[in-house]
């Protein structure tokens, strides 16, 4: 199956720093989703983006749907220790009735207190 | 809030056993999915279903089957478990706009 190119693969930052991660694809998506997964848990939806150019915030998180519909980024401001986890992007291609998502391989975020 | 419930968080089975993983969602979603997650390989789609009694193969269906007898329940079946099926299994369901996951089942095959 198709994969999204998600980067960086991992990040080590100090508490209080801002974080940015992104996903790119050769395919056009009409929906981008960002998830966070804690160890031993299932992914939890953070932000959903439905329109090219859309910028959406959820607390300290901000995500944007790229204007070309082939990319998206997620920013975390003023990171805290509980931000630790794996962040996944996922894209839904246009068309189709069965809602199959394509996932990035994840960004592992470590926050040093 | 959407609730996707997987029947077991941890499961240990033996090679050759038939294994059932159950998933229930409470939001009347039509689409349900089973993934496995392995280090370095990300999330891989095993099977999905877009309606009762309907099923479609995902990217890695070999060694698995599924059952969708009721809209809220989607079962993953390992017909004859093998050690390479040791993994984290994630169920998800989808409404009109986003996909929601269960907490996962960590399955070990000995």
């Amino acid at each position: 199956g198709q994969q999204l190119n998600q980067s960086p693969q991992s990040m080590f930052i100090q508490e209080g720093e801002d974080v940015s991660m992104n996903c790119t694809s050769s395919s056009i998506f009409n929906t981008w989703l960002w998830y966070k997964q804690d160890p031993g848990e299932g992914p939890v939806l953070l932000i959903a983006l439905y329109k090219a150019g859309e910028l959406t915030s959820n607390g300290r998180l901000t995500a944007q749907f790229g204007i070309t519909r082939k990319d998206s980024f997620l920013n975390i401001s003023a990171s805290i220790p509980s931000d630790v986890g794996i962040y996944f992007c996922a894209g839904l291609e246009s068309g189709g009735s069965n809602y199959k998502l394509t996932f990035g391989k994840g960004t592992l975020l470590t926050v040093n207190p | 809030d959407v609730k996707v419930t997987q029947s077991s968080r941890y499961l240990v089975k033996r090679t050759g056993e038939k294994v059932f993983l159950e998933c229930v969602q409470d939001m009347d979603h039509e689409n349900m999915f089973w993934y496995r997650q392995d280090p370095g390989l990300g999330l891989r789609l095993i099977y999905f279903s877009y309606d009762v009694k309907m099923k479609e193969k995902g990217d890695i269906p070999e060694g698995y089957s599924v059952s969708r007898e009721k809209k809220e329940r989607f079962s993953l079946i390992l017909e004859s478990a093998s050690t390479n099926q040791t993994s984290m299994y994630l169920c998800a369901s989808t409404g009109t706009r986003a996909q929601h996951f269960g907490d996962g089942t960590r399955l070990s095959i000995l």
Side-chain angles (χ1 to χ4, degrees):
Chain A
Q2 183 182 350
Q3 289 280 333
L4 295 178
N5 182 22
Q6 183 172 351
S7 64
Q9 200 170 17
S10 62
M11 301 181 75
F12 298 84
I13 62 169
Q14 291 297 124
E15 182 176 359
E17 288 183 9
D18 296 343
V19 172
S20 185
M21 57 193 80
N22 70 84
C23 279
T24 60
S25 172
S26 57
S27 298
I28 290 175
F29 291 108
N30 60 13
T31 299
W32 282 94
L33 305 172
W34 283 93
Y35 293 88
K36 182 193 177 199
Q37 186 176 23
D38 292 326
E41 305 287 332
V44 174
L45 182 66
L46 297 174
I47 291 180
L49 302 160
Y50 303 115
K51 199 163 58 173
E54 180 181 356
L55 184 72
T56 298
S57 293
N58 178 8
R60 293 179 296 106
L61 277 59
T62 302
Q64 182 154 30
F65 194 143
I67 199 70
T68 64
R69 295 199 286 157
K70 293 183 178 181
D71 63 306
S72 177
F73 71 75
L74 175 71
N75 287 343
I76 305 172
S77 62
S79 59
I80 59 177
S82 62
D83 289 334
V84 165
I86 303 176
Y87 292 79
F88 291 98
C89 63
L92 174 66
E93 295 183 46
S94 299
S97 61
N98 46 39
Y99 209 93
K100 277 179 63 178
L101 289 180
T102 301
F103 287 89
K105 289 197 173 181
T107 295
L108 174 61
L109 178 64
T110 302
V111 180
N112 295 319
Chain B
D1 279 354
V2 176
K3 185 69 174 175
V4 179
T5 303
Q6 294 184 228
S7 54
S8 304
R9 294 296 303 274
Y10 301 94
L11 208 53
V12 179
K13 296 291 182 181
R14 296 203 174 276
T15 304
E17 279 192 70
K18 189 169 186 176
V19 181
F20 293 85
L21 302 183
E22 306 287 347
C23 176
V24 176
Q25 50 94 4
D26 65 356
M27 288 302 291
D28 202 35
H29 288 167
E30 292 180 346
N31 299 291
M32 296 188 74
F33 302 78
W34 275 106
Y35 298 88
R36 63 177 285 176
Q37 185 178 31
D38 301 286
L41 298 177
L43 283 156
R44 293 183 291 168
L45 181 63
I46 304 171
Y47 266 98
F48 63 100
S49 169
Y50 52 89
D51 203 351
V52 175
K53 296 193 185 295
M54 305 299 286
K55 61 184 179 184
E56 295 279 346
K57 292 180 180 179
D59 300 319
I60 50 162
E62 295 78 21
Y64 303 94
S65 62
V66 291
S67 173
R68 184 101 182 265
E69 295 297 318
K70 294 185 178 181
K71 194 174 187 179
E72 67 270 19
R73 186 179 297 270
F74 191 35
S75 303
L76 179 70
I77 304 156
L78 285 66
E79 297 290 344
S80 177
S82 62
T83 54
N84 63 12
Q85 291 178 310
T86 291
S87 186
M88 173 73 144
Y89 288 87
L90 290 161
C91 174
S93 77
T94 301
T96 55
R97 310 304 294 277
Q99 192 163 103
H100 300 270
F101 287 86
D103 285 336
T105 296
R106 186 161 294 281
L107 175 64
S108 297
I109 306 296
L110 305 179

